[in-house]
Coordinates of all heavy atoms in Angstrom, one line a residue:
M17 N -0.9 43.5 -0.5 CA -1.0 42.7 -1.8 C -1.2 41.2 -1.5 O -1.9 40.6 -2.2 CB 0.3 42.9 -2.6 CG 0.3 42.3 -3.9 SD -1.1 42.8 -5.1 CE -0.9 44.5 -5.2
H18 N -0.7 40.7 -0.4 CA -0.9 39.3 0.0 C -2.4 39.0 0.2 O -2.9 38.0 -0.1 CB 0.0 38.9 1.2 CG 1.4 38.9 0.8 ND1 2.2 40.0 0.6 CD2 2.3 37.8 0.6 CE1 3.4 39.6 0.3 NE2 3.5 38.3 0.3
H19 N -3.1 40.0 0.8 CA -4.5 39.8 1.1 C -5.2 39.7 -0.2 O -6.1 38.8 -0.4 CB -5.0 41.0 1.9 CG -6.4 40.9 2.3 ND1 -7.3 41.8 1.7 CD2 -7.1 40.1 3.0 CE1 -8.5 41.6 2.2 NE2 -8.5 40.5 2.9
T20 N -4.9 40.6 -1.1 CA -5.6 40.6 -2.5 C -5.2 39.3 -3.2 O -6.1 38.6 -3.8 CB -5.1 41.8 -3.3 OG1 -5.4 43.0 -2.7 CG2 -5.6 41.7 -4.7
A21 N -4.0 38.8 -3.1 CA -3.6 37.5 -3.7 C -4.4 36.4 -3.2 O -4.9 35.5 -3.9 CB -2.1 37.3 -3.6
A22 N -4.6 36.4 -1.8 CA -5.3 35.3 -1.2 C -6.8 35.3 -1.6 O -7.3 34.2 -1.9 CB -5.2 35.4 0.3
L23 N -7.4 36.5 -1.7 CA -8.7 36.6 -2.2 C -8.9 36.1 -3.6 O -9.8 35.3 -4.0 CB -9.2 38.0 -2.1 CG -9.5 38.6 -0.7 CD1 -9.8 40.1 -0.8 CD2 -10.6 37.8 0.0
M24 N -7.9 36.4 -4.5 CA -8.0 36.0 -5.9 C -7.8 34.5 -6.0 O -8.5 33.9 -6.8 CB -6.9 36.8 -6.7 CG -7.2 38.2 -6.8 SD -6.0 39.2 -7.7 CE -6.5 38.8 -9.3
V25 N -7.0 33.9 -5.2 CA -6.8 32.4 -5.2 C -8.1 31.8 -4.8 O -8.6 30.9 -5.4 CB -5.6 32.0 -4.4 CG1 -5.6 30.5 -4.2 CG2 -4.3 32.4 -5.0
R26 N -8.6 32.3 -3.7 CA -9.9 31.7 -3.1 C -11.0 31.8 -4.1 O -11.8 30.8 -4.3 CB -10.3 32.5 -1.8 CG -11.5 31.9 -1.2 CD -12.1 32.9 -0.2 NE -12.7 34.1 -1.0 CZ -13.1 35.2 -0.4 NH1 -13.0 35.3 0.9 NH2 -13.5 36.2 -1.2
D27 N -11.1 32.9 -4.9 CA -12.2 33.1 -5.8 C -11.9 32.5 -7.2 O -12.7 32.7 -8.1 CB -12.4 34.6 -5.9 CG -12.9 35.2 -4.6 OD1 -13.4 34.4 -3.7 OD2 -12.9 36.4 -4.5
G28 N -10.8 31.9 -7.4 CA -10.5 31.2 -8.7 C -10.0 32.2 -9.8 O -10.1 31.9 -10.9
A29 N -9.6 33.4 -9.4 CA -9.2 34.4 -10.3 C -7.8 34.3 -10.8 O -7.4 34.9 -11.8 CB -9.4 35.8 -9.7
I30 N -7.0 33.4 -10.1 CA -5.6 33.2 -10.5 C -5.5 31.7 -10.7 O -6.0 30.9 -10.0 CB -4.7 33.6 -9.3 CG1 -4.7 35.1 -9.1 CG2 -3.2 33.2 -9.6 CD1 -4.1 35.9 -10.3
R31 N -4.7 31.3 -11.8 CA -4.5 30.0 -12.2 C -3.0 29.7 -12.2 O -2.2 30.6 -12.2 CB -5.2 29.7 -13.5 CG -6.6 30.0 -13.7 CD -7.5 29.1 -13.1 NE -7.4 27.8 -13.9 CZ -8.1 26.8 -13.8 NH1 -9.2 26.8 -13.0 NH2 -7.9 25.7 -14.4
W32 N -2.7 28.4 -12.5 CA -1.3 28.1 -12.7 C -1.1 27.5 -14.1 O -1.9 26.7 -14.5 CB -0.9 27.0 -11.7 CG 0.5 26.5 -11.7 CD1 1.0 25.4 -12.3 CD2 1.7 27.2 -11.2 NE1 2.4 25.4 -12.2 CE2 2.8 26.5 -11.6 CE3 1.8 28.4 -10.6 CZ2 4.1 26.9 -11.2 CZ3 3.1 28.8 -10.2 CH2 4.2 28.0 -10.5
Q33 N -0.1 28.1 -14.8 CA 0.2 27.6 -16.1 C 1.4 26.8 -16.0 O 2.5 27.3 -15.7 CB 0.4 28.8 -17.0 CG 0.8 28.4 -18.4 CD -0.3 27.7 -19.2 OE1 -1.4 28.2 -19.3 NE2 0.0 26.6 -19.8
V34 N 1.3 25.5 -16.3 CA 2.4 24.6 -16.2 C 3.3 24.9 -17.4 O 2.9 25.1 -18.5 CB 1.9 23.1 -16.3 CG1 3.1 22.2 -16.4 CG2 1.0 22.8 -15.1
G35 N 4.6 24.9 -17.1 CA 5.6 25.2 -18.2 C 7.0 24.9 -17.7 O 7.2 24.6 -16.6
K36 N 7.9 24.9 -18.7 CA 9.3 24.6 -18.4 C 10.0 25.8 -17.8 O 10.6 26.6 -18.6 CB 10.0 24.0 -19.6 CG 9.5 22.7 -20.0 CD 10.2 22.1 -21.2 CE 9.7 20.8 -21.6 NZ 10.4 20.1 -22.6
T37 N 9.9 26.0 -16.6 CA 10.5 27.1 -15.9 C 11.2 26.6 -14.6 O 10.9 25.4 -14.2 CB 9.6 28.3 -15.5 OG1 8.6 27.7 -14.5 CG2 8.8 28.8 -16.7
V38 N 11.9 27.4 -13.9 CA 12.5 26.9 -12.7 C 11.5 26.5 -11.7 O 11.6 25.4 -11.0 CB 13.3 28.1 -12.0 CG1 13.8 27.7 -10.7 CG2 14.5 28.4 -12.9
G39 N 10.3 27.1 -11.6 CA 9.3 26.8 -10.7 C 8.3 25.8 -11.2 O 7.3 25.4 -10.6
G40 N 8.5 25.4 -12.5 CA 7.6 24.4 -13.1 C 6.3 25.1 -13.7 O 5.4 24.4 -14.1
G41 N 6.3 26.4 -13.8 CA 5.2 27.1 -14.3 C 5.1 28.5 -13.8 O 6.1 29.0 -13.2
W42 N 4.0 29.2 -14.0 CA 3.8 30.6 -13.6 C 2.3 30.8 -13.3 O 1.5 30.1 -13.7 CB 4.4 31.5 -14.7 CG 3.8 31.3 -16.0 CD1 2.7 31.9 -16.6 CD2 4.3 30.4 -17.1 NE1 2.4 31.4 -17.8 CE2 3.4 30.6 -18.2 CE3 5.4 29.6 -17.2 CZ2 3.6 29.8 -19.3 CZ3 5.6 28.9 -18.3 CH2 4.7 29.0 -19.4
F43 N 2.1 31.9 -12.6 CA 0.8 32.4 -12.3 C 0.2 33.2 -13.4 O 0.9 34.0 -14.0 CB 0.8 33.3 -11.0 CG 1.3 32.5 -9.8 CD1 2.6 32.7 -9.3 CD2 0.4 31.7 -9.1 CE1 3.0 32.1 -8.1 CE2 0.9 31.0 -8.0 CZ 2.2 31.2 -7.5
I44 N -1.1 33.0 -13.7 CA -1.8 33.8 -14.7 C -3.2 34.1 -14.1 O -3.7 33.4 -13.2 CB -1.9 33.1 -16.0 CG1 -2.7 31.7 -15.9 CG2 -0.6 32.9 -16.7 CD1 -3.1 31.1 -17.2
H45 N -3.8 35.2 -14.6 CA -5.2 35.4 -14.3 C -6.0 34.4 -15.0 O -5.6 33.8 -16.0 CB -5.6 36.8 -14.9 CG -5.1 38.0 -14.1 ND1 -5.6 38.3 -12.9 CD2 -4.0 38.8 -14.3 CE1 -5.0 39.4 -12.4 NE2 -4.0 39.7 -13.2
A46 N -7.2 34.1 -14.5 CA -8.1 33.1 -15.1 C -8.4 33.4 -16.5 O -8.6 32.6 -17.3 CB -9.3 33.0 -14.3
S47 N -8.3 34.7 -16.9 CA -8.5 35.2 -18.2 C -7.3 34.9 -19.2 O -7.4 35.1 -20.4 CB -8.8 36.7 -18.2 OG -7.7 37.4 -17.8
G48 N -6.2 34.5 -18.6 CA -5.0 34.2 -19.4 C -4.0 35.3 -19.4 O -2.9 35.1 -19.9
E49 N -4.3 36.4 -18.8 CA -3.3 37.5 -18.8 C -2.3 37.3 -17.7 O -2.6 36.7 -16.6 CB -4.1 38.9 -18.5 CG -5.1 39.2 -19.6 CD -6.0 40.4 -19.2 OE1 -5.7 41.0 -18.2 OE2 -6.9 40.6 -20.0
F50 N -1.1 37.9 -17.8 CA -0.1 37.9 -16.8 C -0.5 38.9 -15.7 O -0.8 40.0 -16.0 CB 1.3 38.2 -17.4 CG 1.8 37.1 -18.2 CD1 1.8 37.2 -19.6 CD2 2.2 35.9 -17.7 CE1 2.3 36.2 -20.4 CE2 2.7 34.9 -18.4 CZ 2.8 35.0 -19.8
P51 N -0.3 38.5 -14.4 CA -0.6 39.5 -13.3 C 0.6 40.5 -13.2 O 1.7 40.2 -13.7 CB -0.7 38.6 -12.1 CG -0.5 37.2 -12.5 CD -0.1 37.2 -14.0
A52 N 0.3 41.5 -12.5 CA 1.3 42.5 -12.2 C 2.4 41.9 -11.3 O 2.2 40.9 -10.6 CB 0.7 43.7 -11.4
A53 N 3.6 42.5 -11.4 CA 4.8 41.9 -10.7 C 4.5 41.8 -9.2 O 4.9 40.9 -8.6 CB 6.0 42.7 -11.0
E54 N 3.8 42.8 -8.7 CA 3.6 42.8 -7.2 C 2.7 41.6 -6.8 O 2.9 41.0 -5.8 CB 2.9 44.1 -6.8 CG 3.7 45.4 -7.0 CD 3.5 45.9 -8.5 OE1 2.6 45.5 -9.2 OE2 4.4 46.7 -8.9
L55 N 1.7 41.3 -7.6 CA 0.9 40.2 -7.3 C 1.6 38.9 -7.5 O 1.5 38.0 -6.7 CB -0.4 40.2 -8.3 CG -1.4 39.1 -8.0 CD1 -1.9 39.2 -6.6 CD2 -2.5 39.3 -9.1
V56 N 2.4 38.8 -8.5 CA 3.2 37.6 -8.7 C 4.1 37.3 -7.5 O 4.3 36.2 -7.0 CB 4.0 37.6 -10.0 CG1 5.0 36.5 -10.1 CG2 3.1 37.6 -11.2
T57 N 4.8 38.4 -7.0 CA 5.6 38.3 -5.8 C 4.9 37.8 -4.6 O 5.3 36.9 -3.9 CB 6.3 39.7 -5.5 OG1 7.1 40.0 -6.7 CG2 7.2 39.6 -4.3
A58 N 3.7 38.4 -4.4 CA 2.9 38.0 -3.2 C 2.4 36.5 -3.4 O 2.5 35.7 -2.4 CB 1.6 38.9 -3.1
L59 N 2.0 36.1 -4.6 CA 1.7 34.7 -4.8 C 2.8 33.8 -4.6 O 2.7 32.7 -4.0 CB 1.1 34.6 -6.2 CG -0.3 35.2 -6.5 CD1 -0.5 35.4 -8.0 CD2 -1.4 34.4 -5.8
A60 N 4.0 34.1 -5.1 CA 5.2 33.3 -4.9 C 5.5 33.2 -3.4 O 5.9 32.1 -2.9 CB 6.4 33.9 -5.7
D61 N 5.4 34.3 -2.7 CA 5.7 34.3 -1.2 C 4.7 33.3 -0.6 O 5.1 32.5 0.3 CB 5.5 35.6 -0.6 CG 6.5 36.7 -0.9 OD1 7.6 36.3 -1.5 OD2 6.3 37.9 -0.6
M62 N 3.5 33.4 -1.0 CA 2.4 32.5 -0.4 C 2.6 31.1 -0.7 O 2.4 30.2 0.1 CB 1.1 33.0 -0.7 CG 0.7 34.4 -0.2 SD -0.8 35.0 -0.7 CE -1.9 33.9 0.1
R63 N 3.1 30.8 -1.9 CA 3.3 29.4 -2.4 C 4.5 28.9 -1.6 O 4.5 27.7 -1.1 CB 3.6 29.4 -3.9 CG 3.8 28.0 -4.3 CD 3.8 27.9 -5.9 NE 4.1 26.6 -6.3 CZ 5.0 26.2 -7.2 NH1 5.7 27.2 -7.8 NH2 5.3 25.0 -7.5
Q64 N 5.6 29.7 -1.4 CA 6.7 29.2 -0.7 C 6.4 28.9 0.8 O 6.9 28.0 1.4 CB 7.8 30.2 -0.8 CG 9.1 29.8 -0.2 CD 10.2 30.8 -0.4 OE1 10.0 31.9 -0.9 NE2 11.5 30.4 -0.1
A65 N 5.5 29.7 1.3 CA 5.1 29.5 2.7 C 4.0 28.5 2.9 O 3.5 28.2 4.0 CB 4.6 30.9 3.3
R66 N 3.7 27.8 1.8 CA 2.7 26.7 1.7 C 1.3 27.2 2.2 O 0.6 26.5 2.9 CB 3.1 25.6 2.6 CG 4.4 24.9 2.0 CD 4.7 23.6 2.5 NE 5.6 22.9 1.7 CZ 6.9 22.6 2.1 NH1 7.2 22.9 3.3 NH2 7.7 22.0 1.3
L67 N 1.0 28.4 1.8 CA -0.4 29.0 2.0 C -1.3 28.7 0.8 O -2.5 28.9 0.8 CB -0.3 30.5 2.3 CG 0.5 30.9 3.5 CD1 0.7 32.4 3.6 CD2 0.0 30.3 4.8
I68 N -0.6 28.4 -0.4 CA -1.3 28.1 -1.6 C -0.9 26.7 -2.0 O 0.3 26.3 -2.0 CB -0.9 29.1 -2.7 CG1 -1.3 30.5 -2.4 CG2 -1.5 28.6 -4.1 CD1 -0.8 31.5 -3.4
A69 N -1.9 25.9 -2.5 CA -1.6 24.6 -3.0 C -2.1 24.6 -4.5 O -2.9 25.4 -4.9 CB -2.4 23.5 -2.3
R70 N -1.4 23.8 -5.3 CA -1.9 23.7 -6.7 C -2.1 22.2 -7.1 O -1.4 21.3 -6.6 CB -0.9 24.4 -7.6 CG 0.5 23.8 -7.7 CD 1.3 24.6 -8.7 NE 2.6 24.1 -8.8 CZ 3.0 23.1 -9.6 NH1 2.2 22.5 -10.4 NH2 4.3 22.7 -9.5
S71 N -3.0 22.1 -8.0 CA -3.3 20.8 -8.5 C -3.6 21.0 -10.0 O -4.6 21.5 -10.4 CB -4.5 20.2 -7.9 OG -4.9 19.0 -8.5
G72 N -2.6 20.7 -10.9 CA -2.7 21.1 -12.3 C -2.8 22.6 -12.4 O -2.0 23.3 -11.7
P73 N -3.8 23.1 -13.1 CA -3.9 24.6 -13.2 C -4.7 25.2 -12.1 O -4.7 26.4 -12.0 CB -4.7 24.7 -14.5 CG -5.5 23.5 -14.6 CD -4.7 22.4 -14.0
D74 N -5.2 24.4 -11.2 CA -6.0 24.9 -10.1 C -5.2 25.3 -8.9 O -4.3 24.6 -8.5 CB -7.1 23.9 -9.7 CG -8.1 23.6 -10.8 OD1 -8.4 24.6 -11.6 OD2 -8.6 22.5 -10.9
L75 N -5.5 26.4 -8.3 CA -4.9 26.9 -7.1 C -5.9 26.9 -6.0 O -7.1 27.2 -6.3 CB -4.2 28.3 -7.3 CG -3.1 28.4 -8.3 CD1 -2.8 29.9 -8.5 CD2 -1.9 27.6 -7.9
S76 N -5.5 26.7 -4.8 CA -6.4 26.8 -3.7 C -5.6 27.2 -2.4 O -4.4 27.1 -2.4 CB -7.1 25.5 -3.4 OG -6.2 24.5 -3.1
L77 N -6.3 27.8 -1.5 CA -5.7 28.1 -0.2 C -5.6 26.8 0.6 O -6.5 26.0 0.7 CB -6.5 29.2 0.6 CG -6.6 30.5 -0.1 CD1 -7.5 31.4 0.7 CD2 -5.2 31.2 -0.2
T78 N -4.4 26.6 1.3 CA -4.3 25.5 2.2 C -5.1 25.9 3.5 O -5.6 27.0 3.6 CB -2.8 25.3 2.6 OG1 -2.3 26.5 3.2 CG2 -2.0 25.0 1.3
D79 N -5.1 25.0 4.4 CA -5.8 25.3 5.7 C -5.1 26.5 6.4 O -5.8 27.4 6.9 CB -5.8 24.1 6.6 CG -6.7 23.0 6.2 OD1 -7.6 23.3 5.3 OD2 -6.5 21.9 6.7
A80 N -3.8 26.6 6.3 CA -3.0 27.7 6.9 C -3.3 29.0 6.1 O -3.5 30.0 6.7 CB -1.5 27.4 6.8
G81 N -3.5 28.9 4.8 CA -3.8 30.1 4.0 C -5.2 30.6 4.3 O -5.4 31.8 4.4
T82 N -6.1 29.7 4.5 CA -7.5 30.0 4.8 C -7.5 30.7 6.2 O -8.2 31.7 6.4 CB -8.4 28.8 4.8 OG1 -8.4 28.3 3.4 CG2 -9.8 29.2 5.1
A83 N -6.8 30.2 7.1 CA -6.8 30.8 8.5 C -6.2 32.2 8.4 O -6.7 33.1 9.1 CB -6.0 29.9 9.4
L84 N -5.1 32.3 7.7 CA -4.5 33.6 7.6 C -5.4 34.6 6.9 O -5.5 35.8 7.3 CB -3.1 33.5 6.8 CG -2.2 34.7 6.9 CD1 -1.9 35.2 8.3 CD2 -0.9 34.5 6.1
L85 N -6.1 34.2 5.9 CA -7.0 35.1 5.2 C -8.1 35.5 6.2 O -8.5 36.7 6.2 CB -7.6 34.4 4.0 CG -8.7 35.3 3.2 CD1 -8.1 36.6 2.7 CD2 -9.2 34.5 2.0
S86 N -8.6 34.6 7.0 CA -9.6 35.0 8.0 C -9.1 36.0 9.0 O -9.8 36.9 9.3 CB -10.1 33.7 8.7 OG -10.8 32.8 7.9
E87 N -7.8 35.8 9.4 CA -7.2 36.8 10.3 C -7.1 38.2 9.6 O -7.5 39.2 10.2 CB -5.8 36.4 10.7 CG -5.8 35.2 11.7 CD -4.4 34.8 12.0 OE1 -3.5 35.7 12.0 OE2 -4.2 33.6 12.2
W88 N -6.7 38.2 8.3 CA -6.6 39.5 7.6 C -8.0 40.1 7.5 O -8.1 41.3 7.6 CB -6.0 39.2 6.2 CG -4.5 38.9 6.2 CD1 -3.6 39.2 7.2 CD2 -3.8 38.2 5.2 NE1 -2.4 38.8 6.8 CE2 -2.5 38.1 5.6 CE3 -4.2 37.7 4.0 CZ2 -1.5 37.5 4.9 CZ3 -3.2 37.1 3.2 CH2 -1.9 37.0 3.7
Q89 N -9.0 39.3 7.2 CA -10.3 39.9 7.0 C -10.8 40.5 8.3 O -11.4 41.5 8.3 CB -11.3 38.8 6.5 CG -11.0 38.2 5.1 CD -11.3 39.2 4.0 OE1 -10.6 40.1 3.8 NE2 -12.5 38.9 3.4
A90 N -10.6 39.8 9.4 CA -11.0 40.3 10.7 C -10.3 41.6 11.1 O -10.9 42.5 11.6 CB -10.8 39.2 11.8
T91 N -9.0 41.6 10.8 CA -8.2 42.8 11.1 C -8.7 44.0 10.2 O -8.9 45.1 10.7 CB -6.7 42.6 10.8 OG1 -6.3 41.6 11.6 CG2 -5.9 43.9 11.0
R92 N -9.0 43.7 9.0 CA -9.5 44.8 8.1 C -10.8 45.3 8.5 O -11.1 46.5 8.6 CB -9.6 44.3 6.6 CG -10.1 45.3 5.7 CD -9.8 44.9 4.3 NE -8.4 45.1 4.0 CZ -7.9 45.0 2.8 NH1 -8.6 44.8 1.7 NH2 -6.6 45.2 2.6
K93 N -11.7 44.4 8.9 CA -13.1 44.8 9.4 C -12.9 45.6 10.7 O -13.6 46.6 10.8 CB -13.9 43.5 9.7 CG -15.3 43.8 10.1 CD -16.1 42.5 10.2 CE -17.5 42.9 10.6 NZ -18.4 41.7 10.8
R94 N -12.1 45.2 11.6 CA -11.9 45.9 12.8 C -11.3 47.4 12.5 O -11.8 48.3 13.1 CB -10.9 45.2 13.7 CG -10.7 45.8 15.1 CD -9.9 45.0 16.1 NE -8.5 44.8 15.5 CZ -8.0 43.6 15.1 NH1 -8.8 42.6 15.2 NH2 -6.8 43.5 14.7
E95 N -10.4 47.5 11.6 CA -9.8 48.8 11.3 C -10.9 49.7 10.6 O -11.0 50.9 10.9 CB -8.7 48.6 10.3 CG -7.4 48.0 11.0 CD -6.3 47.7 10.0 OE1 -6.5 47.8 8.8 OE2 -5.2 47.4 10.5
I96 N -11.7 49.1 9.8 CA -12.8 49.9 9.1 C -13.8 50.4 10.2 O -14.2 51.6 10.2 CB -13.5 49.1 8.0 CG1 -12.6 48.9 6.9 CG2 -14.8 49.8 7.6 CD1 -13.0 47.9 5.8
T97 N -14.2 49.5 11.1 CA -15.1 49.9 12.2 C -14.5 50.9 13.1 O -15.2 51.9 13.4 CB -15.4 48.6 13.0 OG1 -16.0 47.6 12.2 CG2 -16.4 49.0 14.2
E98 N -13.2 50.8 13.4 CA -12.6 51.9 14.2 C -12.5 53.2 13.5 O -12.8 54.2 14.1 CB -11.2 51.4 14.6 CG -11.2 50.3 15.6 CD -9.8 49.7 15.9 OE1 -8.8 50.1 15.2 OE2 -9.7 48.8 16.7
R99 N -12.2 53.2 12.2 CA -12.2 54.5 11.5 C -13.6 55.1 11.4 O -13.7 56.3 11.5 CB -11.7 54.2 10.0 CG -10.2 54.3 9.9 CD -9.7 54.2 8.5 NE -9.1 52.9 8.3 CZ -9.3 52.1 7.3 NH1 -10.1 52.4 6.4 NH2 -8.7 51.0 7.3
E100 N -14.6 54.3 11.2 CA -16.0 54.8 11.2 C -16.4 55.4 12.5 O -17.0 56.4 12.6 CB -17.0 53.7 10.8 CG -16.9 53.3 9.3 CD -17.7 52.0 9.0 OE1 -18.2 51.3 9.9 OE2 -17.9 51.7 7.8
Q101 N -16.0 54.7 13.6 CA -16.3 55.2 14.9 C -15.6 56.5 15.2 O -16.2 57.5 15.8 CB -16.0 54.2 16.0 CG -16.9 53.0 16.0 CD -16.4 51.9 16.9 OE1 -15.2 51.9 17.4 NE2 -17.3 50.9 17.2
A102 N -14.4 56.6 14.8 CA -13.6 57.8 15.0 C -14.2 59.0 14.2 O -14.3 60.1 14.7 CB -12.1 57.6 14.6
A103 N -14.7 58.7 13.0 CA -15.3 59.7 12.1 C -16.6 60.2 12.8 O -16.9 61.4 12.8 CB -15.6 59.2 10.7
R104 N -17.4 59.3 13.3 CA -18.6 59.7 14.0 C -18.3 60.5 15.2 O -19.0 61.5 15.5 CB -19.4 58.5 14.4 CG -20.2 57.8 13.2 CD -21.3 56.9 13.7 NE -20.7 55.7 14.4 CZ -20.3 54.6 13.7 NH1 -20.5 54.5 12.4 NH2 -19.8 53.5 14.4
R105 N -17.3 60.1 16.0 CA -17.0 60.9 17.2 C -16.5 62.3 16.8 O -16.9 63.3 17.4 CB -15.9 60.2 18.0 CG -16.3 59.1 18.8 CD -15.3 58.6 19.8 NE -14.0 58.2 19.2 CZ -13.8 57.0 18.8 NH1 -14.6 56.0 19.0 NH2 -12.6 56.7 18.2
S106 N -15.7 62.4 15.7 CA -15.3 63.7 15.3 C -16.4 64.6 14.8 O -16.5 65.8 15.1 CB -14.3 63.5 14.1 OG -13.8 64.7 13.6
A107 N -17.4 64.0 14.1 CA -18.5 64.7 13.7 C -19.4 65.2 14.8 O -19.9 66.3 14.8 CB -19.4 63.9 12.7
Q108 N -19.5 64.4 15.8 CA -20.3 64.8 17.0 C -19.6 65.9 17.8 O -20.3 66.8 18.3 CB -20.5 63.5 18.0 CG -21.5 62.5 17.4 CD -21.5 61.3 18.3 OE1 -20.7 61.1 19.2 NE2 -22.5 60.4 18.1
E109 N -18.3 65.8 17.9 CA -17.5 66.9 18.5 C -17.7 68.2 17.8 O -17.7 69.3 18.5 CB -16.1 66.5 18.7 CG -15.8 65.4 19.7 CD -14.4 64.9 19.6 OE1 -13.6 65.4 18.8 OE2 -14.1 63.9 20.4
R110 N -17.7 68.2 16.5 CA -17.9 69.4 15.7 C -19.2 70.0 15.9 O -19.4 71.3 15.9 CB -17.6 69.2 14.3 CG -16.2 69.0 13.9 CD -16.0 69.0 12.4 NE -16.7 68.0 11.7 CZ -16.2 66.8 11.3 NH1 -14.9 66.6 11.5 NH2 -16.9 65.9 10.7
T111 N -20.2 69.2 16.1 CA -21.6 69.7 16.3 C -21.9 70.1 17.7 O -22.9 70.7 18.0 CB -22.7 68.7 15.8 OG1 -22.5 67.5 16.5 CG2 -22.5 68.5 14.3
S112 N -21.1 69.7 18.6 CA -21.3 70.0 20.1 C -20.9 71.4 20.4 O -20.1 72.1 19.9 CB -20.6 69.0 21.0 OG -21.1 67.8 20.7

């Protein structure tokens, strides 16, 4: 979920609604809808870890957040490549 949250922040799909709450506001979708609880939890975790910065309603990834997202993307790409290679080997073994 944290990976999805980082992508949404990067792409501007999540905004900050300033309000009188303990945290000074809340996360919303750019469309104005409230996100699912799992997404809010991931966003809050990332904000607490200083992976997300906010300026008014705008959210952005910090340098640390951008670096972590790059790591997640590389890991995901490697896992997909490994699965594809395993599927090809399995198919080749069946035809041999």
Side-chain angles (χ1 to χ4, degrees):
M17 186 55 59
H18 289 74
H19 180 248
T20 299
L23 290 171
M24 293 178 81
V25 168
R26 182 198 66 191
D27 296 341
I30 295 291
R31 307 278 299 190
W32 182 258
Q33 177 66 51
V34 176
K36 293 184 178 185
T37 65
V38 172
W42 54 89
F43 297 104
I44 59 169
H45 285 283
S47 63
E49 300 171 7
F50 289 106
E54 299 85 15
L55 182 58
V56 171
T57 300
L59 290 162
D61 288 348
M62 294 175 70
R63 183 171 174 229
Q64 185 175 11
R66 295 195 166 114
L67 301 173
I68 295 174
R70 67 178 175 87
S71 175
D74 297 325
L75 297 172
S76 61
L77 295 175
T78 62
D79 289 343
T82 300
L84 190 55
L85 177 58
S86 292
E87 288 178 32
W88 288 336
Q89 295 287 77
T91 299
R92 182 167 282 193
K93 184 177 180 180
R94 185 176 58 248
E95 289 173 351
I96 290 170
T97 300
E98 289 172 356
R99 275 188 248 131
E100 289 171 348
Q101 290 172 347
R104 281 194 294 273
R105 282 192 302 270
S106 179
Q108 287 174 348
E109 289 172 359
R110 283 193 300 260
T111 60
S112 298

